């Protein structure tokens, strides 16, 4: 609770109607969290009663693929007090913290003792519930990761092929440079430096495009920013490293050739 109070047993069908809203609701419709306490709201004007805001909660990620929007919470007993159905049927989810290994059996026994007509269905651990709720996003993430790795491999192969072709065309030039006193390190620096200029330009353009389009992923992320600096730095570093290796290997092979052999081959 950020302000006000939660529901109590006094908030029954005989008490004034109350509601608890989340922080986004309070900031959107009122001046702030504290200022919303005591205000009256209703869902619509078609027969809906007015309710007093008695509490404000922190925002919760209640859905997997939705942004955090405005939320209103009602006491269950008051929610059914003005409906046409005097005894509406609700499916309730109860979260029970227990250190007992037989909590499920104990829960069923307690509910049966209270009312044998109440069914207790789908008793699962919190870990199993989270796994069940997140299996689809996890599979999607693995598939996207696999395609990303494939794209990185194809990009590395493309850079390698281009660098190898460029280095092969400059074989005679390298032979002349070595005959005039250039070392293999000089030739490697020359070949790799030229490739890295193109790779740096490509990474810069890709970084700008990724930063500009990152807002499209904002609603799919939780507890991480769409412009997370660590993720962008890691991606740029990985791409640069891939390009460096793809450029270094063919340049190293050409730089190791004998100058006379390079001139005769040309």
């Amino acid at each position: 609770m950020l302000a006000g109070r939660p529901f109590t047993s006094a908030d029954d069908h005989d008490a004034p109607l109350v509601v608890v809203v989340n922080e986004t609701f309070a900031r959107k419709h009122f001046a702030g969290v504290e200022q919303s306490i005591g205000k009256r709201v209703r869902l619509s004007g078609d027969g809906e009663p007015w309710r007093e805001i008695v509490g404000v909660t922190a925002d919760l990620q209640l859905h997997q693929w939705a942004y955090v929007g405005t939320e209103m919470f009602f006491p269950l007993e008051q929610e059914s007090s003005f409906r046409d159905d005097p005894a509406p049927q609700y499916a309730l989810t109860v979260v029970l913290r227990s250190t007992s290994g037989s909590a499920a059996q104990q829960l069923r026994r307690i509910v049966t003792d209270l009312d044998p007509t109440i069914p207790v269905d789908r008793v699962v651990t919190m870990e199993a519930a989270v796994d069940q709720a997140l299996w689809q996003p996890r599979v999607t993430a693995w598939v996207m990761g696999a395609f990303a790795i494939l794209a990185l491999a194809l990009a590395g192969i493309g850079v390698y092929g281009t660098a190898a072709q460029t280095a092969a065309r400059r074989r005679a030039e390298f032979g002349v440079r070595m005959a005039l006193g250039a070392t293999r390190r000089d030739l490697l620096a020359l070949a790799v430096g030229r490739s890295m200029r193109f790779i740096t330009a490509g990474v810069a353009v890709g970084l700008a495009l990724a930063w500009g389009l990152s807002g499209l992923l904002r609603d799919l992320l939780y507890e991480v920013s769409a412009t997370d600096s660590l993720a962008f730095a890691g991606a740029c570093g990985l791409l640069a490293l891939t390009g460096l290796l793809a450029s270094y290997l063919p340049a190293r092979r050409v730089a190791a050739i004998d100058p006379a052999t390079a001139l005769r081959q040309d």
Side-chain angles (χ1 to χ4, degrees), residues 31 38 57 62 83 87 92 97 122 135 150 154 191-192 250 253 260:
T57 71
L62 297 179
R83 300 299 182 184
L92 300 179
R97 176 176 297 171
R122 296 183 66 246
W135 74 268
L150 178 61
L154 293 176
V192 174
R253 186 174 63 252

Side-chain angles (χ1 to χ4, degrees), residues 85-127:
D85 186 358
Q89 301 297 317
Y90 289 98
L92 300 179
T93 300
V94 178
V95 181
L96 174 65
R97 176 176 297 171
S98 173
T99 58
S100 173
S102 58
Q105 292 79 1
Q106 297 177 11
L107 177 62
R108 286 190 171 92
R109 184 173 63 253
I110 293 173
V111 174
T112 301
D113 293 341
L114 293 174
D115 190 343
T117 64
I118 299 179
V120 179
D121 186 29
R122 296 183 66 246
V123 180
V124 296
T125 63
M126 180 60 71
E127 181 179 5

